[in-house]
Amino acid sequence: GEDVEQSLFLSVREGDSSVINCTYTDSSSTYLYWYKQEPGAGLQLLTYIFSNMDMKQDQRLTVLLNKKDKHLSLRIADTQTGDSAIYFCAEGDNFNKFYFGSGTKLNVKP
Amino acid sequence: SAVISQKPSRDICQRGTSLTIQCQVDSQVTMMFWYRQQPGQSLTLIATANQGSEATYESGFVIDKFPISRPNLTFSTLTVSNMSPEDSSIYLCSVPGQGGLAKNIQYFGAGTRLSVL
């Protein structure tokens, strides 16, 4: 199946920017996604990007897609303690099956 | 977006028993998906639950261990059979959104946290 990889941990100070990186293998993916999982909760869709886009901005979130390198990143501006969570990168195939990365645990220090 | 309710939210079970997890959606959907998230791991797709036909299982998952029902377009169950401690995980159901771009998005329930002793 598809292989989606992420670094496991990221620690930042409150107010700084966070950048979470992801690489994927399936070049035919139409959409790529970022989900957030807070402790004890399910997955919340944060944002997604269409594969023919390079960048998408949504308030504090910026998604960058480098399709040539199969690299996706999520930048969170002005990171807050409430942003502490696990962030999953995912790609979806034409049958609505999603393949998730291992998740990046973001720790925001006050 | 879809509103998905899962029951139970958590359970502690004895080895050798079975647990049935329910997933209810607030709208009719053709496909529902069941995922497993083992402790500290990512999500792995178990199967696709199709209304009116048998579920389609991913490699490594079999119907005898994870029987799935899909009696109508808003409901599905996943049973974890003959449980062992290795089955301790979070089990999540998901559905695609409806219409336009939303159909490319998966919405998830809050998950069922299962611990097997």
Side-chain angles (χ1 to χ4, degrees), chain A residues 30-31 33 35 37-45 48 50 86 88-89 95-103, chain B residues 10 31 33 35 37 40-43 45 48 56 58 90 92 96 101 103-111 113:
Chain A
T30 305
Y31 289 92
Y33 307 82
Y35 283 83
Q37 186 178 40
E38 296 183 38
L43 267 71
Q44 171 196 353
L45 176 70
Y48 63 94
F50 190 49
I86 301 176
F88 290 95
C89 164
F95 302 97
N96 271 138
K97 294 181 187 178
F98 275 37
Y99 301 92
F100 287 84
S102 55
Chain B
R10 60 179 67 241
M31 291 189 289
F33 300 87
Y35 287 83
Q37 185 181 19
Q41 304 287 320
S42 185
L43 282 77
L45 181 63
T48 304
T56 306
E58 297 299 305
I90 301 172
L92 300 105
L101 293 176
K103 66 180 185 296
N104 297 297
I105 296 170
Q106 286 289 324
Y107 295 97
F108 286 83
R113 282 151 184 77

Side-chain angles (χ1 to χ4, degrees), chain B residues 22-59:
Chain B
Q22 299 179 5
C23 180
Q24 178 77 52
V25 189
D26 68 341
S27 57
Q28 293 185 336
V29 291
T30 306
M31 291 189 289
M32 296 175 76
F33 300 87
W34 287 99
Y35 287 83
R36 179 176 73 182
Q37 185 181 19
Q38 293 177 297
Q41 304 287 320
S42 185
L43 282 77
T44 301
L45 181 63
I46 297 172
T48 304
N50 309 300
Q51 200 275 328
S53 63
E54 282 202 0
T56 306
Y57 289 83
E58 297 299 305
S59 175

Side-chain angles (χ1 to χ4, degrees), chain A residues 47-76:
Chain A
T47 188
Y48 63 94
I49 188 167
F50 190 49
S51 61
N52 69 354
M53 297 169 65
D54 298 323
M55 185 181 85
K56 180 179 180 181
Q57 188 154 0
D58 184 1
Q59 299 182 337
R60 291 191 298 124
L61 305 178
T62 302
V63 179
L64 294 178
L65 174 61
N66 183 329
K67 201 171 179 183
K68 174 176 169 289
D69 294 338
K70 299 192 184 73
H71 182 266
L72 183 73
S73 68
L74 174 70
R75 178 176 180 270
I76 305 173

